[in-house]
Amino acid sequence: MDGSRVKLSSLTFAVIALVMGLVIMRADAELVTGRVVSIGFPATTPNGAVIRLGRWFPIRVQLAIQGTGTVTRTIKFESIDLDGDRVAIIRPEVTVTTEGGAGVRDIWCYGLVNALGEEFPQALVLLDENGAAAERLPRPTVDWLPNDDLLVVDVSDMAVVGLMRLMTPAWSPRSRMEGTRDFYRNVVVSKLAAADLPDRWIGLECADVVVWDQPSASDLKRIGPMDALLQWVDHGGQLIVGVGGAWPALRGSTLGARLPLAGDGVVAELNDLPLFRQRFLIGNAGASPLERVTLTTVADLAPDAIRTLGELGGPRGSINMVAMRSSGAGRIVASAASLRDLTPSPARVQAFFAGLMELNTFSEAEKTQQAAAGQQYLGANYVYD
């Protein structure tokens, strides 16, 4: 009898231990939850964000602990490479803790797909400490941006509204927009906070141009995003900086050392820029001043920098209003005044920004010809051998 009771007690204990183990494992599985905050670059497109095929794009994931403690998770993104092999892109051993914090952490991950459809996974996978799938994180829908289209990312604290006037009207994926676009290539504009820049340069690979008007001192001190931004420039990106009153913060920063402006410099208050007004402000070729007092940095050119867009005037002789400096395979363009101040509502924004970005503009006659050619293409029946 005693032996039977011992065996029964042992069995009962084993069952209880098994149940408790399952409960503990279940609790641990639910300890961390995640969600995909964003993918690609936000834009006023049908799905609200864009990526390019064959280019790295950023994925922002948020992990949160339901309770207290420290937990490690791995984030996996699966795709198919150019050879047709399925590959897993891993962000390994991400630690989330409630110690000294709220138990919530934003993580940058990166994806790469070569085709839409089945090759583009619908979710990321959250793996536990043992490598087992703990949760699927559905991704938001995105639009595909052709490689011929220009992606401009505005990371200014206050949006440079004039950039939106560059965007191709009614843009949609796979649409060439003959006869409606103003430039030889479609333009898509994305607005992103500087604090939300990816922490690796490949996260900006989809972008052609980054615009940053009057960077704040706090954003300039974000080491990860700043290093990523400058590495992206060195790999062929174009960065346009509106200096304005931000010169004191820029001058001693990592970005400031790369600008085409150099020296001590001063920030001057200008009521007018006659030559600039005559070239780029509609109906203001007379004596009318600018709409607002404009803070403008008066500084020397860096030794290897050049002035672009010609002479634009200013006090005490000429101002290096727009200058450019090469950096690796890319370049950095600096406007001595804020881009927002230089592009008020009556500005010829297209002419100004086209000059900064070296965009060729279609004339009205060329747009009409483009539209006619597009209609002819739609009605044609091609015969192939």
Side-chain angles (χ1 to χ4, degrees):
M1 293 293 292
D2 292 340
S4 298
R5 280 197 294 269
V6 171
K7 291 180 180 179
L8 182 60
S9 299
S10 299
L11 179 61
T12 303
F13 177 79
V15 171
I16 293 173
L18 177 61
V19 172
M20 289 181 64
L22 290 175
V23 170
I24 292 172
M25 290 174 61
R26 180 62 180 170
D28 180 68
E30 294 180 347
L31 191 60
V32 178
T33 60
R35 68 185 183 96
V36 179
V37 178
S38 63
I39 184 170
F41 294 87
T44 53
T45 60
N47 284 311
V50 293
I51 65 169
R52 294 191 200 269
L53 302 182
R55 305 277 189 95
W56 289 99
F57 52 83
I59 306 171
R60 191 173 183 178
V61 177
Q62 186 178 85
L63 301 182
I65 292 181
Q66 305 300 311
T68 59
T70 300
V71 178
T72 300
R73 290 289 184 267
T74 293
I75 304 171
K76 181 174 71 171
F77 178 88
E78 290 188 348
S79 62
I80 296 176
D81 64 14
L82 290 174
D83 297 326
D85 300 322
R86 182 169 295 278
V87 296
I89 302 169
I90 300 293
R91 180 65 190 263
E93 299 182 352
V94 177
T95 300
V96 187
T97 182
T98 56
E99 297 178 7
V104 178
R105 183 177 175 187
D106 283 356
I107 309 297
W108 282 113
C109 302
Y110 300 94
L112 179 70
V113 293
N114 294 298
L116 300 180
E118 294 182 359
E119 295 188 13
F120 194 5
Q122 298 299 310
L124 281 73
V125 180
L126 195 62
L127 306 178
D128 63 19
E129 290 92 336
N130 300 315
E135 185 181 0
R136 289 176 59 82
L137 312 179
R139 63 164 178 82
T141 55
V142 294
D143 291 308
W144 162 63
L145 185 67
N147 288 333
D148 288 340
D149 293 0
L150 187 78
L151 177 59
V152 180
V153 181
D154 181 9
V155 299
S156 312
D157 286 345
M158 298 183 66
V160 181
V161 179
L163 289 173
M164 295 304 299
R165 288 178 245 168
L166 302 180
M167 186 158 174
T168 303
W171 179 93
S172 62
R174 301 181 179 85
S175 179
R176 293 186 54 82
M177 311 302 294
E178 278 89 350
T180 61
R181 68 177 187 266
D182 295 311
F183 306 102
Y184 73 100
R185 58 195 300 192
N186 291 323
V187 178
V188 174
V189 178
S190 172
K191 180 66 183 76
L192 189 71
D196 293 334
L197 280 168
D199 62 358
R200 298 187 183 184
W201 79 266
I202 59 173
L204 288 166
E205 193 179 19
C206 291
D208 298 291
V209 181
V210 171
V211 175
W212 199 354
D213 195 34
Q214 299 195 100
S216 68
S218 58
D219 285 333
L220 289 170
K221 294 177 182 177
R222 299 179 188 275
I223 297 175
M226 182 57 62
D227 287 347
L229 179 63
L230 294 178
Q231 288 179 35
W232 167 78
V233 172
D234 290 341
H235 282 84
Q238 180 181 358
L239 174 62
I240 299 175
V241 180
V243 179
W247 178 247
L250 277 164
R251 186 171 51 196
S253 69
T254 305
L255 175 57
R258 299 280 201 98
L259 289 178
L261 300 179
D264 293 336
V266 295
V267 177
E269 291 186 358
L270 302 185
N271 293 314
D272 195 14
L273 289 168
L275 294 179
F276 181 88
R277 173 165 43 81
Q278 291 172 21
R279 286 184 61 184
F280 297 115
L281 300 190
I282 297 173
N284 282 344
S288 301
L290 296 173
E291 288 189 349
R292 61 177 71 89
V293 174
T294 302
L295 294 178
T296 305
T297 292
V298 182
D300 299 328
L301 283 178
D304 55 348
I306 60 172
R307 184 189 299 174
T308 61
L309 297 189
E311 174 58 65
L312 296 176
R316 289 176 284 175
S318 64
I319 287 180
N320 298 312
M321 183 59 66
V322 180
M324 186 272 288
R325 186 181 188 185
S326 296
S327 180
R331 62 183 179 177
I332 298 178
V333 176
S335 166
S338 162
L339 297 171
R340 295 181 70 253
D341 289 346
L342 291 178
T343 53
S345 53
R348 293 178 61 231
V349 168
Q350 290 184 349
F352 178 59
F353 282 117
L356 290 180
M357 303 178 193
E358 296 187 352
L359 275 171
N360 293 328
T361 306
F362 283 138
S363 65
E364 290 301 319
E366 288 170 329
K367 290 168 68 173
T368 301
Q369 185 178 9
Q370 285 270 329
Q375 289 297 321
Q376 183 178 5
Y377 169 78
L378 290 176
N381 292 317
Y382 294 96
V383 177
Y384 298 94
D385 293 335

